[in-house]
Amino acid sequence: MNSIFKIIELFKAFLLEIGELSYFAGRFFKEAFRHPTEFKEFLRQCFYMGNRSLLLVAVTGFIIGLVFTLQSRPTLQEFGAVSWMPSMVSISLIREIGPIITALICAGRIGSGIGAELGSMRVTEQIDAMEVSGTNPFKYLVVTRILATTFMLPILVFFGDAIAIFGSYLVENIKGNVSFLLYYNQVFDALEFSDLIPATIKTFFFGFAIGLVGCFKGYYCEKGTAGVGLAANSAVVFTSMLLFIIDFIAVFVTDIFYDM
């Protein structure tokens, strides 16, 4: 019986958190279209989240391209289908692997950073001081960060996809002596707008989810230094789960739309 009550309590807490997150998202849309716009802070957050994540995204994308090609090549060789490697790699990376892997990396780096930063500001009462001084902390701290993640993640995904495809080309060039021009001609021949558009649209939702959950966890951080660590950790866990849910919905909707 105790275990059943615990499950019920956990389920209630989960629903309560979903409701609070939905209210938080509604407040974001309400504040986002109000003046004044914190444009300088928005640009600063874009630089912080985008530029400083480039190296991590580039290294990860390059390794994914190398490993994916090295693992897939022997299987295609058995069927005499090595010539399909550029098409297979590019479609797989653009449609699914690139967006979700880059989003998970950014959830770990950016989401935890936002949760820890806002959590420490809440614990040290900096957010309360901003409210007392007449500044809108939600507009300055939350709206700018959510907008920055929403707009920067698609750029990071494009960058990571390009590096991953280049890593795949290097393997093909070494193993199969495929020229740069031939490889990329096959890549662009295989890709269609039906591959690019849904993958691009869902990256905006990925970025929004990362910023929203990170800001939510940090903004309502519990008191004490332990609360800051908990906010950062829970931001990554909750965001990762939410990313997979969004990805499933995006794939499901895309499949319905293109089957019509």
Side-chain angles (χ1 to χ4, degrees):
M1 291 296 293
N2 290 332
S3 60
I4 294 176
F5 284 126
K6 287 181 180 180
I7 293 172
I8 293 174
E9 290 298 323
L10 289 173
F11 185 68
K12 286 182 179 179
F14 175 75
L15 293 179
L16 181 63
E17 190 163 19
I18 292 296
E20 291 174 349
L21 184 64
S22 301
Y23 175 79
F24 192 79
R27 187 179 175 187
F28 160 77
F29 287 112
K30 182 181 178 181
E31 295 285 351
F33 298 101
R34 284 185 174 180
H35 291 283
T37 56
E38 302 289 349
F39 190 66
K40 289 184 178 179
E41 178 65 13
F42 167 71
L43 292 180
R44 190 178 76 85
Q45 291 300 324
C46 286
F47 173 78
Y48 178 77
M49 297 174 186
N51 183 65
R52 297 186 181 182
S53 301
L54 282 177
L55 181 60
L56 180 60
V57 171
V59 172
T60 306
F62 185 70
I63 292 174
I64 288 173
L66 292 176
V67 173
F68 188 50
T69 307
L70 285 170
Q71 293 285 352
S72 303
R73 203 169 195 281
T75 304
L76 292 180
Q77 276 182 326
E78 292 179 6
F79 296 96
V82 180
S83 60
W84 288 95
M85 178 65 73
S87 304
M88 186 192 73
V89 170
S90 59
I91 292 174
S92 300
L93 287 172
I94 297 297
R95 280 187 181 181
E96 189 61 35
I97 298 175
I100 193 64
I101 294 296
T102 305
L104 289 172
I105 292 169
C106 292
R109 190 204 178 283
I110 298 174
S112 62
I114 293 175
E117 183 182 11
L118 295 187
S120 63
M121 293 182 72
R122 173 64 72 183
V123 168
T124 55
E125 299 181 349
Q126 296 180 50
I127 295 178
D128 297 332
M130 292 177 69
E131 292 174 347
V132 170
S133 64
T135 306
N136 186 350
F138 194 93
K139 182 84 171 180
Y140 185 80
L141 299 175
V142 175
V143 173
T144 54
R145 283 164 174 77
I146 295 178
L147 288 177
T149 55
T150 303
F151 286 106
M152 290 310 299
L153 191 70
I155 298 174
L156 291 173
V157 169
F158 278 130
F159 181 72
D161 288 345
I163 297 295
I165 292 174
F166 179 73
S168 175
Y169 154 72
L170 289 180
V171 174
E172 281 297 289
N173 181 259
I174 295 170
K175 294 279 189 179
N177 197 23
V178 179
S179 68
F180 181 86
L181 186 61
L182 175 61
Y183 186 88
Y184 275 87
N185 278 339
Q186 291 183 352
V187 166
F188 289 113
D189 285 342
L191 291 174
E192 298 178 357
F193 280 109
S194 59
D195 301 318
L196 295 172
I197 293 175
T200 302
I201 292 174
K202 71 180 179 182
T203 57
F204 285 98
F205 288 96
F206 287 167
F208 177 76
I210 292 170
L212 180 70
V213 176
C215 290
F216 172 73
K217 293 293 185 180
Y219 198 79
Y220 295 113
C221 174
E222 297 177 358
K223 299 295 183 180
T225 53
V228 177
L230 182 63
N233 182 61
S234 59
V236 176
V237 174
F238 201 91
T239 303
S240 300
M241 181 181 67
L242 190 58
L243 288 175
F244 285 113
I245 295 173
I246 294 172
D247 189 43
F248 168 74
I249 295 172
V251 172
F252 187 74
V253 171
T254 302
D255 185 60
I256 294 173
F257 181 78
Y258 283 103
D259 282 346
M260 290 177 63

